[in-house]
Amino acid sequence: MSEQLPTLGVWGPAPRDKSGVAGYLTQSLPHLAPYFTTRRIAGPGTDPAAFDHVLYHLGNNTLHHGAFRALAARPGTVLLHEYNNLDYYYEAWDQLPVAEQHTVLTRVSAAVGTRLDTRATMERYFADHPHVDRYSLGARIEDLAIEAATRVLVHSPLLAEHLADRHPAADIRHLPFPVHPLTPVAGTRARHGLPEQAFVFATFGFLGAYKRIPVILDAWRNWTDRPADALLLLAGEARDGLTVPADPTIRYTGYLTDAEFDALLLAADCGIQLRGPWLGETSGPASALIAHRRPTILSDIPGMHPLRPEEIHLLVGQGERESADLIDAMRTQYHRPRTPAAYDPAFSWKSWGEHIAAALTGGPR
């Protein structure tokens, strides 16, 4: 008779939720199967004490409410998909215990330098101070999760170092963002009206202001010596009221299936994955591009680039020169010799499963 595997409860978004973490979780389950008998849980109400081990996927909206509540009930391993989870607390406010509401108010008060005693007071403050970004405040809201966890996993080595410096007593580990090896799909460009000979710059994922889409569009329009065969692809669903300009050199796909999204990742010549304000997350599309050794242009912030960027990974800082530096980076990438994709197995799901099993069972880093 085979030995029974230990049980594992995994909390995170449900399979059909419109969430990158939901897809991530779905892909992860087969790679946990060699080590655990796994049950996936989305909402609150399941007792985490019923399992030998627990894993909490924490993000920045109420799709993660069950994970946050389970963590409050039982300490365990957390995977921080973002560490600045203020939006979760805003969205889930009425479902939070009073003591937790008070803690959030205290931390937000410290961040803005004004005492906020109630949710209504906090809302009035933000209404009166529209220049304050309530979502990216440095309120150290991640303390709530990190101090409740037995260990903390993050996808960026730089972010792991950053959090370890702020939480020296915590067990914080780097977990490479897992990426399946992708294969080029014939006809991908044709399906999206992209000429085979064109040089395609592309940004991937939900297209919100936080992806610096307005900056990318501004740089594109102001690239005065832009080559005639250069195209900009916006591969994803527009958010934040984004209006795509009527420009024949800009192509917009709208929401994509996973298969089509992956095909376009390899069909582009250079990925542009910027971020700001930054909430502590690692970019899945950026990780996929890096894992396949695709030329990329990335924001120069922790979590968005490798520990030691290669020549094909160009970094752009934020500030007055962001648009000009992005033009310079696009110009450099355009003149780089084109190379085929090559997968780095350090990003494999097999490696991910080994890391997770070690973390959950208290094994070495």
Side-chain angles (χ1 to χ4, degrees):
M1 181 180 295
S2 61
E3 183 179 353
Q4 187 172 4
L5 294 173
T7 58
L8 171 66
V10 180
W11 273 260
R16 295 185 181 180
D17 285 332
K18 207 172 188 180
S19 157
V21 179
Y24 178 117
L25 209 164
T26 298
Q27 291 185 72
S28 76
L29 295 181
H31 305 281
L32 295 171
Y35 310 100
F36 308 100
T37 298
T38 303
R39 179 181 169 193
R40 178 178 185 166
I41 304 113
T46 302
D47 184 0
F51 300 92
D52 297 318
H53 303 283
V54 288
L55 174 62
Y56 306 121
H57 290 262
L58 300 185
N60 201 19
N61 53 55
T62 50
L63 296 177
H64 301 265
H65 184 60
F68 277 98
R69 294 308 98 204
L71 174 61
R74 176 190 174 180
T77 296
V78 303
L79 175 47
L80 286 180
H81 292 271
E82 300 179 22
Y83 76 76
N84 192 342
N85 290 303
L86 277 168
D87 189 45
Y88 160 71
Y89 292 100
Y90 297 146
E91 288 188 20
W93 189 264
D94 293 336
Q95 303 173 72
L96 300 178
V98 171
E100 198 164 337
Q101 292 176 347
H102 177 73
T103 299
V104 175
L105 287 169
T106 299
R107 291 179 180 273
V108 173
S109 296
V112 301
T114 299
R115 184 174 177 177
L116 307 172
D117 291 326
T118 65
R119 174 68 186 260
T121 304
M122 181 171 65
E123 293 301 328
R124 283 197 299 270
Y125 175 85
F126 287 128
D128 293 340
H129 300 81
H131 63 284
V132 176
D133 187 340
R134 63 187 296 167
Y135 302 101
S136 59
L137 284 173
R140 295 195 61 154
I141 203 68
E142 75 278 5
D143 290 3
L144 303 187
I146 292 174
E147 292 170 3
T150 55
R151 61 194 54 83
V152 178
L153 306 174
V154 293
H155 288 128
S156 160
L158 292 168
L159 178 55
E161 292 178 0
H162 172 69
L163 292 178
D165 287 342
R166 287 170 57 168
H167 302 272
D171 181 357
I172 297 175
R173 307 184 182 193
H174 168 225
L175 175 71
F177 194 102
V179 178
H180 278 302
L182 303 178
T183 303
V185 179
T188 296
R189 285 198 171 197
R191 285 196 304 278
H192 294 276
L194 303 171
E196 288 298 328
Q197 70 275 15
F199 190 100
V200 178
F201 294 91
T203 188
F204 295 90
F206 289 118
L207 304 171
Y210 67 102
K211 294 279 188 71
R212 313 300 287 169
I213 304 301
V215 172
I216 294 172
L217 292 173
D218 178 70
W220 188 258
R221 288 191 292 263
N222 288 298
W223 186 3
T224 54
D225 59 341
R226 187 177 71 224
D229 65 342
L231 292 177
L232 175 62
L233 175 67
L234 305 179
E237 181 180 300
R239 296 283 181 92
D240 303 332
L242 173 70
T243 300
V244 180
D247 182 329
T249 69
I250 299 174
R251 309 294 171 83
Y252 168 62
T253 66
Y255 188 78
L256 293 162
T257 64
D258 289 346
E260 207 62 21
F261 188 91
D262 290 344
L264 281 169
L265 277 166
L266 295 191
D269 295 293
C270 175
I272 304 175
Q273 298 300 130
L274 306 184
R275 192 63 60 89
W278 181 59
L279 303 180
E281 71 278 33
T282 301
S283 166
S287 296
L289 290 162
I290 293 166
H292 289 85
R293 294 190 50 76
R294 307 309 299 138
T296 54
I297 301 172
L298 306 161
S299 290
D300 190 10
I301 49 180
M304 292 301 294
H305 62 81
L307 188 62
R308 287 174 288 277
E310 298 183 47
E311 185 182 359
I312 60 172
H313 307 140
L314 301 183
L315 308 183
V316 173
Q318 294 181 16
E320 293 182 359
R321 284 200 51 81
E322 184 178 17
S323 181
D325 288 347
L326 176 56
I327 292 172
D328 288 343
M330 289 190 292
R331 187 182 294 116
T332 298
Q333 296 288 36
Y334 177 85
H335 291 291
R336 191 182 303 283
R338 300 192 195 190
T339 57
Y343 180 70
D344 181 351
F347 290 85
S348 72
W349 276 101
K350 180 179 183 297
S351 176
W352 180 94
E354 293 168 352
H355 278 280
I356 286 283
L360 290 174
T361 59
R365 296 171 184 241

